[in-house]
Each structure stands twice: as C-alpha cells, then as structure tokens.
Amino acid sequence: RATLLLSRCLLKMVKGNIIVPEEILNFCCNGLQGSTSPPRAQEPGEREEAPGAMASPLPARNPTEVQMSQLVLPCHTNHRNELSIGQLLKWIDTAACLSAERHAGCPCVTASMDDIYFEHTISVGQVVNIKAKVNRAFNSSMEVGIQVSYEDLCSGKHCSICKAYATFVAQGPSGSKVRLKPLTPQTEEEKIEYSIAAERRRMRLVHKDTLKDLLTRSRPDTELETRDGSGAVPAEKTRVESVELVLPPHANHQGNTFGGQIMAWMENVATIAASRLCHAHPTLRAIEMFHFRGPSQVGDRLVLKAIVNNSFKNSMEVGVSAEAYGQEMSVSPRHINSAFMTFEVLDQEGRPRTLPMVAPEPGDGERRYREASARKKIRLDRKYVVSCKQTEVPLSVPWDQSNKVYLSYNNVSALKTLVAKANWALAREKEKVRMYTLEEDKFLSFRIEMSVCITASQAFSLLSNLWRRHEWDSHYVSAELVQKVDDDDMIYHVVSRMHRQESKLQDFVILASRRKPCSKGDPYVVAFRSVTLPTHPPRAEYTRGETLCSGFCIWPESEEMSKVAYYNQAMPGYLNYVTTNVAGLSSDICATFEACEKFLLKNKEDLISRLQDF
C-alpha cells in the first residue's frame, strides 16, 4: 500500500508540477520500512480499488526456471570487444546448475553439454539473457534446456544466440546418486520438451556408436584429401599445452572444479591452437558435446591440450582435452573432459576466409584427421535433420547409415511434438471413435482415437508391424520390409490405394520407428515418415507418395484397456480425403479405425498364446 501511495503522489507531482509535502514523504518512507499508518482518505469521485486490482494475472511459472541477465563489460570480452565464449559457457553452466538444483533440492554436477551452435557474437555493452529450466527428470539425471539471447539496450533489439541442452546428476552428501522426483510439464512447450527429452537421451547414448560405425564403413586406404598440399601446415605446429591450478574461486559450492570454468579453459587453449594454424583471430562457431568423465577438486593441476585435427575450406576442427593431476605430477592423470570445437576466420565483411590445409602426423594424427571428417558429416546430418524446424526439413530425406540416428530422432520427436499440441478440437464422434483436428498455418492434422480392450504392449506389438496393416486398413495393398535398421527402426516399401476406385496405385518408402515407454505415463510410440532409398526409386506404375508425420500412440488405461490414437499431418494429396471425413461426407476413416479395433481383438488371443508358448 505504501508503494501504491508513493506512486500516486509522484504521479500527481508530475501532472500538476507540485511539491509533495514532507509529511507524505515521511509517511511513504515509514510505510516502506514496515510501520503501520492510518489509511489514506478517499478523494471525491475516486473509486475504491478491490484487493489485487493492480496486479494482472500472470501465467504460472515453471518452478525450475532460472533467469540470468549479465551486462557484457570489457573484462568479459576478447580483442574484438566481443563476449568471450568461455565467459558465456560459465554463465550458461551456472544458470543450468541452479535450475537443476531447484528441482533436485540437493547439489548437482554437470555430466554433459550437448552440441552448441553460436548464431551471433555479442558486443560489449549488450546484455546477455539466459533462461534455463529442467525439461525432464530421469532416475538420477535430468535434462536442462538453456536459451541464450542478447539485448541491445540502446536499440531495444533482441536476438537469439544459441540453444543448449545439459545433463546434470544429483548427488547426495557422500557423493552418492540421488533418485529424483518426477517432473510434471504444464504448458504445451514444456510437454513437447518433456516428451522429446527421452529421445535426445537415447541419441546421446548412441553417439559414439554412430561415429565408430561411420569410420568402420569408410575405406581406410582412402587418400587424405588435398586441396594444395604444398602449403599444408604440420598439425604439430598447432599443438597447445597449458596447465591451470584449481583455486577456491574456480570451485563450486561442493568443492569440485566448476564445470563452466573447465569449459572456459578448454575454449581458451582451443582458440590458441586455431590461431596458430591461420595466424589470425578465429571465431568459435560450434562445440561438439562436452562429456565430463570425472570430478576435479581444489588443488588439482589441470593440464589442457589442444591441436587442430583437420581443416576444411572455411572451417577447422580443434580437439581439446582436460586431464587432472594431484600434487604429484608423476601419478597417472585422470581424464576429466574432451570436446571438439569448430572455428572460422572472418574477413572484414564478415565472410569466412579460406584456411590452409593441415598435414596430420602419422599414426594418431591421421586417425584424428579421419575422425574429424566423419564428425563433420555427422554434424551436417544432425544440423540438417535435427536442428531444422519440422516444416523446413524436406519430406523424403535421403536415408544413409550415418544419419540413421538423427532420422529416427526426427521421426519420433515430430510425432511427439504433434501429440503435445494443445489446440485439438473434436470434429466427429461415432460410437467409440472420436476424431479431432488441429489447424495450423501450413498443415491440417487429424487425430483419431478409441479405447480398446487390449493391453498397451499387445496393441504396440500388433500395430508396429506394417506388413500386417493390410489386414485392417483397406487402403494398404502391401508392405514389404526393405531394411531392418535395428530392433526399433525398420524401412518398408508400402503400396496403397487412396480411393478404392482409383486404378493407379501409390507407393511410399517409410521409416517406422518404435519406442517403448521411458517411464510411467509415457505412451508406446510407432512413428512413420518418408525417406528415399537408392534401391527404391519412383517407378512408372506407381505415384510416389510422401508422409511427413504420422503414427500411433498407445496409453494404458487399465490392466486390460488401452487408448489407441492415430495421428497424421495431412499432405496436399491427402487433404481432400481428410476434409471429406471431417465434414461428415464420408465415414471411411472411422470405418478403418473400427476395423483396426476388430483386428486387435481378433489377434489378441493369438498373441497371448504365442507369448505363452515362447
């Protein structure tokens, strides 16, 4: 009330150019200090305000959300008066750790930081805004999403810098892992991030296998790439080694070396290595996953090593590692962290310069050289398939063994994103079948669902096999298994007929990705999307069709009942069929789903018998 009274007095002073009496100022000051004073008399014609009338209702804020704003000072910048990436990494890690500890209620340590792509640089005098919140909690680890933007105080301009995902582990008093409480998402955005977090976790776990698989399939006798070998710089000349003594200011509140500080030191030596190749000041564009393999404490000596692994036309990859020693440097080091950083060198117009080649050392140097080329391909695949918005990804992305992980991720995450949308509207209801629609700028999506007397695992097993779909879906003519990628991902060649009277058939090359629930409350997922295969080009007898996002989600409702829902983001060639059913001019979709229910009930007993025999 004192703050409200003070604001009213000041407003009158401004409007009427009057001096506020000393008694009122004293009254306001006493009120702000917590003293009680008689209420102000109501002026003629003034209405009494209801309690809380001045406060506008705000949306509920995520309890794990942490916001940090930092003014970029000269001490935070490099030679170009731009914010040092190392300093930014410190702020990012701090905000993410505080968010993780809000949820865990105990100390947390950084386990890993996913790939980060820096879109812009930040100048001195601008403000860095960081928002971090927990996307999902697993058993003892959690994923924290971080959004970084900058604000120009003079122009009011806001611009995105990067988006990152960090994994934190909760620790008990003796360093033991703590079991985390589950997180309940509230908003549509939080539900999407919560759902996709499980898929990102899966992708992290197979990242090393993806690299090994790509290197195994590449020919070892392939000649090293040469643009102009005469000017190649020996990789040894770019090598950097630096030692840092971990002091109390470098440690977090648990006594361990602050993860953000380690990342900043690593960025520093990587920048020096890159500068030795190009004899210029490089700009960091991307960081491939930081993975902390062990802790470091105050008093440790951290030895940081960096070397340019490979240079491409306009970019270079620098490998950097951190090892910890105690006071006795002769003792075997503890590997703390390693990462790969991509740098560019910009000319005066801000365009990437052509870089000199690297001549790798025999043995390990050549291995690192080839691995850098493989990582570049993986980064391009990941950025092309994963980082793009769903509407920006071409429908039929070429299938390749090296991008299988990212296509599978994109397939499942696209369906989970569609499922988490909030504005579904009931369009039709026929007996047990309910049909919903979702109208967005570029797409009309539909969802059709019903409850079936079958367990969720049984329905998942029956619906995830496309080769049996023709038994209940009259549009399907055949489905041939082309390639079994792994136990969860398969590629089919599907032949279908949109309308029964059509003479020419459609064909699809479809990636089917299956996922079992990651935790209680998650659905069983079967996601479909189009891909292209060299072995199955379009043929004259078929019209090649495409599907961007479709599939099943199955939730258990009880021990014997499940909710089965089918989602489809309608493509232009499919749109007329969908709108005809939505408008009630046809019941074909409802009839197809009713046939699906009969198929599930009919085959449920056979499935139980086969499982018992097994």
Side-chain angles (χ1 to χ4, degrees):
R1 292 183 63 85
T3 304
L4 181 60
L5 180 59
L6 178 61
S7 64
R8 284 172 171 162
C9 292
L10 293 176
L11 182 61
K12 288 184 178 181
M13 181 180 69
V14 172
K15 287 184 176 180
N17 194 22
I18 62 174
I19 299 176
V20 180
E22 184 178 356
E23 299 81 35
I24 295 181
L25 287 176
N26 291 335
F27 171 76
C28 293
C29 293
N30 292 333
L32 289 172
Q33 292 172 1
S35 62
T36 58
S37 301
R40 179 183 65 90
Q42 186 173 348
E43 295 184 5
E46 184 181 13
R47 292 183 300 174
E48 183 177 356
E49 296 184 20
M54 294 292 293
S56 58
L58 296 175
R61 183 171 172 178
N62 188 313
T64 71
E65 183 178 305
V66 170
Q67 295 185 12
M68 176 186 291
S69 294
Q70 296 283 356
L71 180 64
V72 179
L73 302 175
C75 61
H76 301 142
T77 61
N78 55 25
H79 63 284
R80 293 190 298 267
N81 284 331
E82 295 172 350
L83 175 64
S84 163
I85 296 297
Q87 180 63 58
L88 179 59
L89 291 172
K90 288 184 188 179
W91 290 339
I92 288 175
D93 192 53
T94 301
C97 183
L98 293 175
S99 174
E101 291 182 347
R102 272 193 178 182
H103 179 70
C106 63
C108 296
V109 295
T110 312
S112 66
M113 184 83 71
D114 286 7
D115 299 3
I116 306 176
Y117 297 93
F118 299 100
E119 300 176 20
H120 301 282
T121 57
I122 308 171
S123 301
V124 66
Q126 294 178 333
V127 174
V128 178
N129 294 314
I130 302 174
K131 182 186 293 185
K133 59 183 176 181
V134 177
N135 290 332
R136 182 163 185 165
F138 300 97
N139 291 329
S140 60
S141 66
M142 68 199 95
E143 180 192 273
V144 180
I146 309 111
Q147 292 180 329
V148 184
S149 62
Y150 81 78
E151 174 186 358
D152 191 299
L153 296 176
C154 297
S155 65
K157 178 183 178 183
H158 292 257
C159 193
S160 174
I161 298 299
C162 65
K163 188 173 183 178
Y165 296 98
T167 301
F168 282 81
V169 176
Q171 289 191 331
S174 59
S176 59
K177 292 183 178 180
V178 175
R179 188 171 184 85
L180 296 168
K181 60 185 178 183
L183 183 74
T184 303
Q186 300 296 329
T187 67
E188 178 181 312
E189 178 188 358
E190 290 173 1
K191 290 177 181 177
I192 291 173
E193 292 290 354
Y194 176 90
S195 183
I196 301 177
E199 198 63 20
R200 281 191 291 265
R201 184 181 186 224
R202 183 178 186 271
M203 189 169 62
R204 290 183 199 109
L205 297 176
V206 300
H207 175 69
K208 284 187 177 179
D209 294 334
T210 303
L211 178 62
K212 290 179 181 178
D213 185 59
L214 181 58
L215 291 170
T216 302
R217 290 185 295 105
S218 63
R219 294 184 299 167
D221 58 341
T222 304
E223 292 294 328
L224 296 178
E225 179 190 2
T226 57
R227 294 196 304 271
D228 181 9
S230 59
V233 177
E236 183 63 26
K237 288 189 175 182
T238 69
R239 186 182 297 275
V240 179
E241 181 172 316
S242 179
V243 64
E244 298 284 354
L245 175 62
V246 181
L247 300 173
H250 303 141
N252 58 22
H253 48 292
Q254 305 160 58
N256 294 326
T257 312
F258 181 43
Q261 180 63 69
I262 296 176
M263 290 189 280
W265 282 335
M266 293 174 72
E267 185 267 340
N268 180 58
V269 295
T271 302
I272 296 172
S275 300
R276 288 181 175 175
L277 174 71
C278 60
H279 299 291
H281 297 292
T283 299
L284 182 59
R285 287 303 189 196
I287 300 177
E288 187 170 314
M289 185 183 297
F290 283 105
H291 183 74
F292 289 89
R293 291 173 170 81
S296 166
Q297 291 84 28
V298 172
D300 279 345
R301 280 73 171 164
L302 282 189
V303 176
L304 304 128
K305 300 177 182 179
I307 190 171
V308 177
N309 291 331
N310 200 342
S311 69
F312 308 98
K313 183 177 181 181
N314 300 119
S315 65
M316 70 185 95
E317 181 196 274
V318 179
V320 57
S321 65
E323 297 175 339
Y325 294 83
Q327 293 183 3
E328 297 292 335
M329 295 286 287
S330 58
V331 180
S332 298
R334 309 189 311 273
H335 188 92
I336 300 298
N337 201 341
S338 58
F340 302 96
M341 304 187 183
T342 302
F343 289 87
E344 292 178 350
V345 178
L346 306 179
D347 60 19
Q348 293 181 349
E349 285 74 32
R351 296 171 301 189
R353 280 171 38 186
T354 300
L355 300 176
M357 286 194 61
V358 170
E361 302 171 281
D364 284 346
E366 292 181 347
R367 174 186 57 80
R368 290 194 298 265
Y369 186 96
R370 296 183 190 280
E371 288 178 351
S373 297
R375 277 189 293 270
K376 181 179 181 182
K377 173 175 171 46
I378 291 174
R379 277 193 295 270
L380 291 172
D381 288 337
R382 190 159 45 206
K383 190 173 182 180
Y384 177 62
V385 177
V386 176
S387 301
C388 294
K389 296 178 182 178
Q390 184 66 17
T391 56
E392 296 172 355
V393 179
L395 297 185
S396 294
V397 176
W399 170 265
D400 185 81
Q401 195 70 14
S402 65
N403 69 1
K404 65 180 182 181
V405 174
Y406 313 115
L407 275 175
S408 177
Y409 167 87
N410 180 270
N411 190 18
V412 176
S413 61
L415 179 60
K416 287 185 173 182
T417 299
L418 187 61
V419 171
K421 295 287 186 180
N423 297 323
W424 290 96
L426 181 63
R428 290 190 65 186
E429 188 169 8
K430 184 181 179 184
E431 297 180 354
K432 295 192 297 181
V433 179
R434 297 172 298 279
M435 187 173 184
Y436 298 82
T437 58
L438 175 67
E439 297 184 37
E440 296 178 298
D441 291 340
K442 296 183 178 181
F443 298 103
L444 171 65
S445 303
F446 74 89
R447 172 180 105 217
I448 187 163
E449 66 181 31
M450 63 181 174
S451 296
V452 185
C453 185
I454 187 173
T455 66
S457 60
Q458 292 171 341
F460 174 70
S461 177
L462 291 168
L463 294 176
S464 59
N465 291 322
L466 277 181
W467 58 270
R468 298 199 63 178
R469 185 158 171 171
H470 70 278
E471 297 181 31
W472 59 270
D473 190 343
S474 60
H475 302 94
Y476 267 55
V477 177
S478 64
E480 171 198 1
L481 179 61
V482 175
Q483 182 178 342
K484 183 178 179 180
V485 181
D486 51 39
D487 292 339
D488 295 322
D489 297 276
M490 302 181 186
I491 300 177
Y492 293 88
H493 179 241
V494 174
V495 178
S496 70
R497 180 184 286 110
M498 179 63 66
H499 302 290
R500 295 182 179 85
Q501 63 272 21
E502 286 184 354
S503 56
K504 192 171 184 179
L505 301 176
Q506 272 190 318
D507 74 330
F508 301 80
V509 179
I510 291 178
L511 169 64
S513 302
R514 320 180 329 157
R515 297 290 187 273
K516 293 182 179 179
C518 179
S519 58
K520 186 177 180 181
D522 288 353
Y524 289 83
V525 175
V526 186
F528 307 122
R529 71 155 296 151
S530 290
V531 295
T532 59
L533 280 177
T535 57
H536 287 72
R539 292 158 57 180
E541 61 266 35
Y542 299 127
T543 300
R544 175 55 55 92
E546 293 181 312
T547 177
L548 177 61
C549 175
S550 62
F552 292 95
C553 283
I554 306 159
W555 290 269
E557 293 184 320
S558 65
E559 291 185 359
E560 294 295 330
M561 293 291 295
S562 300
K563 183 174 77 173
V564 179
Y566 176 74
Y567 296 79
N568 196 307
Q569 215 168 43
M571 300 307 299
Y574 197 53
L575 195 58
N576 183 58
Y577 173 73
V578 174
T579 54
T580 301
N581 279 266
V582 171
L585 300 176
S586 172
S587 297
D588 199 25
I589 293 180
C590 293
T592 300
F593 221 57
E594 289 169 353
C596 177
E597 180 189 22
K598 294 177 181 178
F599 165 79
L600 293 174
L601 296 176
K602 175 184 176 183
N603 290 275
K604 177 177 69 170
E605 301 301 329
D606 295 339
L607 186 62
I608 293 174
S609 300
R610 288 201 302 271
L611 290 174
Q612 289 174 346
D613 294 339
F614 179 76

